[in-house]
């Protein structure tokens, strides 16, 4: 009598039937129609795979509550201001997500952003360097700083928490040293950095055109991916599914374009942020480098045995975090048209980490997407603007944002424990 596992599954189908195995939703839709999504959704809920559902529900609640309290919350001006303000924190959150995917943390991003702003200000204003060149130097400086942190962590073996905590203090001191006795350097509001947050594409065709390009690109990408999977004989999404998803994206995309055109037009800052999100998402999900980052976040030892250069990946990830911290610093400098002693300090670090975690990136590594930065920062900035419209003081804003972050961490922890129980972690 055959006793291997395969034969047992065949002889006893009920045992296999009860197993909570992962099923490709594309296969369910293909065989069961949209009812398959309900089956897959229930399976994910049992396994603790909540995805972006909590944050999307949270955003809806935030909009409903604050709009009911103040009709200006969903006005074209307020939405445009939120879109521009969230970019600086969002850029930095993108870099933090790379680090969190490894299961590590970088506490220095706030100070690094301040240093990048100071470098641009000193080089372009004090020393008269070409502003474009000064911007490049600042961004490269951020990458080098991140690589230094990565070196001490990956090569020397020092804990990332301790290394980046030291970096927080060191780079903060360097920023203050660069700014000198005055402590403030004003930037040209019409310069390269100044226009990052003040330039708008006023032609209505710009916003609608971007929405159209995004919708078409999404449809073509999904359609071609489906054809490619069909040709390979693996589960693929049916055309109706792709069309529905595209239609939903079109509704939100063109609605946003309409709102922007009711105020000053499409913000340059938002365009740059979306470009970064698309590019980094492609890097993580479609390249071998991205897969190595996810593998490393899942198991360092398994990654090492698979031939992955663990040291190189770790150093490069911290360099990426430093790069985006520097870019975020430029957007913050643009927002106030200056660099001062408060740059990169305050609640910035908390908001950056909170944006990544609230958006759905796990603190335990191995799970997250750069699009989480967009969702998370929308929640944070929306709360801040909503509370400001109601005249709520800053201390209370801190407490509320901290409560939201705590709730998110608790959900992440419970989700991970549930997934382990379900055998999916």
């Amino acid at each position: 009598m055959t006793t291997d596992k395969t034969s047992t599954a065949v002889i006893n189908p009920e045992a296999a039937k009860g197993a909570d195995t992962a099923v490709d939703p594309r296969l369910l839709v293909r065989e069961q129609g949209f009812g398959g999504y309900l089956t897959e959704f229930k399976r994910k809920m049992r396994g603790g795979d909540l995805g972006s559902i909590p944050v999307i529900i949270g955003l809806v609640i935030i909009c409903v509550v604050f709009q009911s309290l103040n009709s200006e919350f969903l006005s074209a001006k307020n939405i445009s201001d939120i879109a521009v303000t969230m970019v600086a924190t969002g850029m930095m959150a993108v870099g933090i997500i790379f680090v969190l995917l490894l299961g590590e943390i970088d506490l220095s991003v706030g100070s690094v952003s301040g240093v990048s702003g100071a470098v641009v200000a000193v080089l372009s204003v004090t020393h008269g360097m070409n502003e474009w060149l000064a911007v490049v130097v600042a961004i490269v400086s951020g990458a080098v700083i991140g690589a230094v942190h990565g070196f001490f962590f990956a090569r020397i073996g020092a804990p990332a928490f301790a290394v980046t905590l030291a970096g927080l203090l060191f780079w903060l001191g360097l920023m203050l040293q660069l700014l000198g006795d005055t402590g403030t350097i004003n930037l040209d509001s019409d310069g390269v950095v100044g226009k990052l947050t003040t330039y708008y594409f006023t032609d209505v065709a710009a916003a609608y055109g971007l929405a159209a390009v995004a919708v078409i690109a999404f449809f073509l990408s999904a359609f071609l991916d489906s054809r490619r999977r069909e040709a390979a004989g693996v589960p693929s999404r049916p055309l109706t599914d792709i069309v529905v998803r595209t239609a939903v994206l079109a509704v939100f995309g063109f609605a946003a374009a309409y709102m922007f055109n009711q105020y000053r037009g499409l913000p340059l800052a938002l365009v740059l942020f979306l470009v970064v999100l698309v590019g980094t998402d492609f890097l993580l999900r479609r390249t071998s480098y991205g897969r190595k980052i996810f593998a490393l976040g899942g198991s360092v030892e398994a990654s090492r045995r698979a031939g992955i250069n663990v040291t190189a990946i770790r150093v490069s990830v911290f360099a990426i975090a430093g790069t985006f911290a520097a870019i975020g610093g430029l957007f913050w400098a643009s927002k106030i048209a200056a660099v001062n002693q408060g740059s990169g300090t305050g609640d910035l670090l908390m908001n950056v980490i909170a944006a990544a975690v609230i958006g759905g990136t796990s603190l335990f590594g191995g799970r997250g997407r750069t699009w989480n930065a967009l969702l998370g920062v929308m929640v944070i900035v929306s709360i801040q603007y909503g509370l400001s419209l109601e005249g709520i003081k800053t201390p209370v804003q801190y407490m509320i944002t901290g409560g939201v972050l705590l709730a998110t961490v608790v959900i992440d922890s419970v989700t991970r424990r549930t997934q382990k129980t379900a055998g999916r972690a």
Side-chain angles (χ1 to χ4, degrees), residues 309-384:
N309 189 331
V310 174
T311 300
I313 296 296
R314 282 175 164 175
V315 172
S316 66
V317 164
F318 276 88
I320 289 173
T323 300
F324 281 108
I327 294 173
L330 298 181
F331 278 91
W332 278 119
S334 174
K335 186 67 178 175
I336 63 175
V339 181
N340 56 40
Q341 294 178 339
S343 298
T345 60
D347 62 342
L348 178 58
L349 174 62
M350 181 198 74
N351 285 340
V352 170
I353 297 175
V357 176
I358 290 174
T361 302
S362 175
L363 284 168
F364 301 98
R367 189 180 82 241
R369 295 180 58 180
T370 51
W371 286 100
N372 295 149
L374 175 61
L375 293 173
V377 78
M378 284 176 64
V379 169
I380 291 175
V381 178
S382 295
I383 291 175
Q384 292 174 343

Side-chain angles (χ1 to χ4, degrees), residues 60-94:
V60 172
I61 294 174
I62 289 170
C63 291
V64 170
V65 171
F66 285 123
Q67 179 65 16
S68 64
L69 294 175
N70 193 316
S71 59
E72 290 298 311
F73 182 76
L74 291 180
S75 66
K77 179 182 183 304
N78 198 55
I79 289 177
S80 182
D81 289 343
I82 289 175
V84 173
T85 301
M86 71 181 189
V87 171
T89 303
M91 287 287 192
M92 298 171 67
V94 169

Side-chain angles (χ1 to χ4, degrees), residues 193-332:
V193 175
K195 288 185 176 181
L196 287 176
T197 57
T198 60
Y199 185 85
Y200 292 77
F201 297 97
T202 55
D203 192 331
V204 296
Y208 289 125
L210 179 62
V213 169
V215 170
I216 294 173
F218 175 82
F219 176 80
L220 291 178
S221 175
F223 179 75
L224 294 176
D225 181 64
S226 178
R227 284 294 184 88
R228 192 162 49 245
R229 294 179 69 87
E230 283 184 6
V234 295
S236 60
R237 297 192 186 280
L239 182 60
T240 52
D241 177 29
I242 296 173
V243 170
V244 170
R245 288 170 177 265
T246 304
V248 172
L249 176 62
V251 169
F252 283 100
F254 282 99
Y258 172 79
M259 294 298 292
F260 288 134
N261 284 332
Q262 298 307 301
Y263 182 50
R264 297 176 62 183
L266 180 64
L268 171 63
L270 182 61
V271 174
L272 295 176
F273 187 35
L274 293 176
V275 169
V276 165
L277 290 176
V278 171
T280 52
D281 184 67
F282 178 86
L283 177 66
L284 282 176
R285 296 174 59 238
R286 301 290 184 178
T287 67
S288 60
Y289 175 75
R291 288 190 288 272
K292 289 175 182 177
I293 293 177
F294 280 105
L296 202 56
S299 173
V300 175
E301 185 58 32
S303 299
R304 183 178 287 110
R305 293 184 178 184
I308 296 176
N309 189 331
V310 174
T311 300
I313 296 296
R314 282 175 164 175
V315 172
S316 66
V317 164
F318 276 88
I320 289 173
T323 300
F324 281 108
I327 294 173
L330 298 181
F331 278 91
W332 278 119

Side-chain angles (χ1 to χ4, degrees), residues 144-228:
V144 172
I145 290 172
V148 170
H149 294 161
F151 172 80
F152 282 104
F153 164 59
R155 178 64 69 178
I156 305 301
F161 178 90
V163 170
T164 56
L165 179 60
L168 181 154
L169 298 173
F170 183 88
W171 304 117
L172 175 60
L174 178 60
M175 180 193 73
L176 298 176
Q177 183 69 28
L178 291 174
L179 292 177
D181 297 332
T182 61
T184 301
I185 300 178
N186 295 321
L187 299 173
D188 181 7
S189 58
D190 293 324
V192 175
V193 175
K195 288 185 176 181
L196 287 176
T197 57
T198 60
Y199 185 85
Y200 292 77
F201 297 97
T202 55
D203 192 331
V204 296
Y208 289 125
L210 179 62
V213 169
V215 170
I216 294 173
F218 175 82
F219 176 80
L220 291 178
S221 175
F223 179 75
L224 294 176
D225 181 64
S226 178
R227 284 294 184 88
R228 192 162 49 245

